[in-house]
């Protein structure tokens, strides 16, 4: 039988459910998910392998107008996903205004690969509203096939998946057939900690933070991991640590539990907070953290 393989890139505005869908399609919890916009900062491959095909799903950051260099790099990841896709999944939801970010949509319209327009979060609206939205998108993207889904409730994702498999080009695999992702273990550890920061801290704090795995020692029964939490300003360091260190302690406990589940092993986790002044606008920091332009 002929082998199929291809890149299926998941793009759209912030917070529409790209990572929730990506995790469902790959069957792995590779991307962190929170209710806050700009949760995803990198392009993350989730690879699905069967004897007959290999699908490389790409989760990407939500498209936004950059205010600092970190966001410019995030936008770069999103735009790169337009140019190297075999199939594009443009995700919108029932919450955002459909004409949001027309500029990016114009780029989507110009692509020559099949576009599947996914309307997510249909659990939040009634049938009539959904029909109106479907009509809107039929008109806006006439070339696209439309899939109303609920990623959260796993509704209609199977149909979407089956259509993706049908559309996959004939090709040998791009990655080893036992690969799950392109990212190393360390990446997922730093992402788990960032997710807990998004959940535990308010306002600008999560957006001013980057997590670096500084030391990683694998033991027979336990892994010892030391991470640096970089903040952009002095005042943010105190907020991360909290009164008598309580906030940092809670963060450490929350993150350790999840890292242990992820690795299937006991973990000793040390967290340090460091002021890396204005790191979001400094090329050397961004490069070091894996954000390249
Ligand atoms: N009601 C409802 N909520 C959903 C659905 N799918 C995702 N969400 C919620 O929407 C929020 C954002 O989900 P994410 O998957 O992080 O969205 P994203 O597009 O990856 O966001 P960014 O990475 O920030 O661009 C989370 O609170 C999800 O639980 C859905 O089908 N229905
Ligand atoms: Mg995301």
């Amino acid at each position: 039988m002929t082998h199929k393989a291809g890149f299926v890139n998941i793009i759209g505005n912030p917070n529409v459910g790209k990572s929730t869908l990506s995790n469902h399609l790959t069957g792995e919890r590779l991307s962190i998910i929170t209710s806050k916009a700009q949760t995803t900062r990198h392009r993350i491959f989730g690879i699905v392998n069967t004897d007959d095909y290999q699908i490389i799903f790409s989760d990407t950051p939500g498209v936004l107008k950059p205010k600092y260099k970190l966001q410019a790099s995030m936008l770069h990841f999103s735009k790169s996903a337009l140019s190297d896709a075999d199939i594009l999944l443009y995700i919108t939801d029932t919450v955002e205004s459909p004409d949001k970010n027309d500029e990016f949509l114009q780029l989507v319209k110009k692509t020559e690969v099949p576009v599947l327009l996914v309307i997510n979060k249909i659990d939040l609206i009634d049938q009539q509203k959904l029909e109106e939205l479907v009509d809107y998108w039929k008109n806006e993207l006439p070339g696209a096939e439309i899939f109303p889904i609920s990623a959260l409730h796993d509704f209609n994702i199977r149909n979407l998946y089956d259509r993706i498999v049908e559309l996959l080009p004939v090709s040998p695999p791009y990655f080893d057939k036992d690969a799950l992702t392109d990212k190393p273990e360390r990446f997922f550890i730093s992402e788990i900690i960032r997710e807990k920061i998004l959940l535990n801290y308010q306002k600008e704090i999560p957006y001013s933070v980057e997590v670096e795995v500084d030391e990683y020692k694998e033991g027979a029964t336990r892994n010892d991991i030391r991470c640096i939490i970089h903040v952009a300003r002095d005042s943010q360091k105190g907020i991360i640590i909290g009164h008598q260190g309580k906030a940092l302690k809670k963060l450490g406990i929350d993150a350790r539990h999840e890292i242990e589940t992820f690795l299937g092993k006991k973990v000793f986790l040390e967290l340090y907070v460091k002021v890396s002044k204005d790191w979001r606008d400094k090329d050397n920091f961004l490069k070091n953290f894996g954000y390249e332009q």
Side-chain angles (χ1 to χ4, degrees):
M1 199 173 152
T2 332
H3 191 273
K4 292 168 126 191
F7 290 83
V8 178
N9 299 348
I10 302 175
I11 53 172
N13 290 323
N15 215 36
V16 293
K18 298 179 296 301
S19 298
T20 309
L21 176 62
S22 177
N23 286 351
H24 272 284
L25 288 167
T26 54
E28 299 283 336
R29 199 177 173 284
L30 296 176
S31 294
I32 60 169
I33 295 166
T34 78
S35 60
K36 295 196 170 90
Q38 299 177 52
T39 294
T40 307
R41 287 183 181 167
H42 291 266
R43 216 179 135 168
I44 305 162
F45 286 170
I47 306 170
V48 175
N49 295 294
T50 72
D51 288 343
D52 304 330
Y53 60 81
Q54 176 175 74
I55 316 177
I56 304 115
F57 289 103
S58 233
D59 188 17
T60 64
V63 176
L64 41 70
K65 295 204 170 31
K67 294 202 188 82
Y68 38 85
K69 281 188 178 175
L70 166 68
Q71 290 183 332
S73 174
M74 288 161 62
L75 180 64
H76 177 77
F77 285 133
S78 313
K79 283 195 170 162
S80 72
L82 282 173
S83 58
D84 60 13
D86 292 300
I87 301 166
L88 264 183
L89 262 52
Y90 184 81
I91 321 296
T92 178
D93 67 13
T94 57
V95 182
E96 70 173 358
S97 160
D99 59 357
K100 186 176 169 189
N101 207 343
D102 189 54
E103 213 175 295
F104 192 75
L105 200 60
Q106 294 309 321
L107 298 175
V108 174
K109 284 181 185 169
K110 284 192 191 132
T111 60
E112 283 166 10
V113 297
V115 177
L116 306 184
L117 189 280
V118 177
I119 304 173
N120 188 29
K121 308 191 188 177
I122 61 166
D123 52 288
L124 298 178
I125 55 165
D126 61 26
Q127 187 65 25
Q128 195 199 331
K129 283 246 168 60
L130 178 58
E131 280 166 17
E132 285 165 20
L133 256 186
V134 169
D135 285 343
Y136 176 91
W137 283 108
K138 268 187 191 154
N139 191 41
E140 190 65 26
L141 275 176
E145 292 175 42
I146 300 178
F147 289 82
I149 68 158
S150 171
L152 191 65
H153 299 286
D154 202 359
F155 179 76
N156 212 19
I157 295 183
R158 190 72 226 178
N159 281 340
L160 175 65
Y161 185 93
D162 290 346
R163 184 63 184 134
I164 290 167
V165 174
E166 274 175 16
L167 289 169
L168 273 186
V170 171
S171 160
Y174 293 91
F175 292 85
D176 277 353
K177 291 287 292 243
D178 56 4
L180 282 179
T181 177
D182 61 326
K183 294 273 186 283
E185 215 163 57
R186 280 167 175 248
F187 172 80
F188 296 103
I189 288 165
S190 65
E191 284 290 90
I192 289 170
I193 298 169
R194 210 165 57 74
E195 180 188 65
K196 301 306 171 203
I197 293 172
L198 277 151
L199 295 173
N200 280 330
Y201 297 90
Q202 304 307 317
K203 294 185 183 151
E204 91 289 359
I205 295 293
Y207 302 102
S208 308
V209 158
E210 181 66 37
V211 180
E212 182 188 17
V213 179
D214 186 38
E215 229 180 86
Y216 192 99
K217 278 194 226 142
E218 283 195 48
T221 56
R222 191 184 83 181
N223 289 2
D224 292 1
I225 306 170
R226 190 170 70 185
C227 295
I228 301 172
I229 299 171
H230 295 266
V231 292
R233 285 202 304 271
D234 282 331
S235 59
Q236 294 164 345
K237 184 171 175 175
I239 297 173
I240 294 280
I241 294 170
H243 182 58
Q244 295 177 336
K246 279 189 186 143
L248 187 63
K249 189 167 178 210
K250 176 171 188 304
L251 173 65
I253 293 168
D254 290 357
R256 179 170 55 80
H257 284 148
E258 187 148 344
I259 295 169
E260 286 179 339
T261 307
F262 173 72
L263 296 174
K265 200 171 174 184
K266 282 259 169 261
V267 161
F268 178 71
L269 179 67
E270 274 182 288
L271 298 177
Y272 291 88
V273 188
K274 186 173 165 184
V275 182
S276 297
K277 206 162 170 23
D278 296 331
W279 66 266
R280 299 185 308 182
D281 266 316
K282 301 252 172 79
D283 290 338
N284 55 337
F285 279 119
L286 291 171
K287 190 159 187 283
N288 191 26
F289 297 151
Y291 301 101
E292 288 192 59
Q293 308 265 336

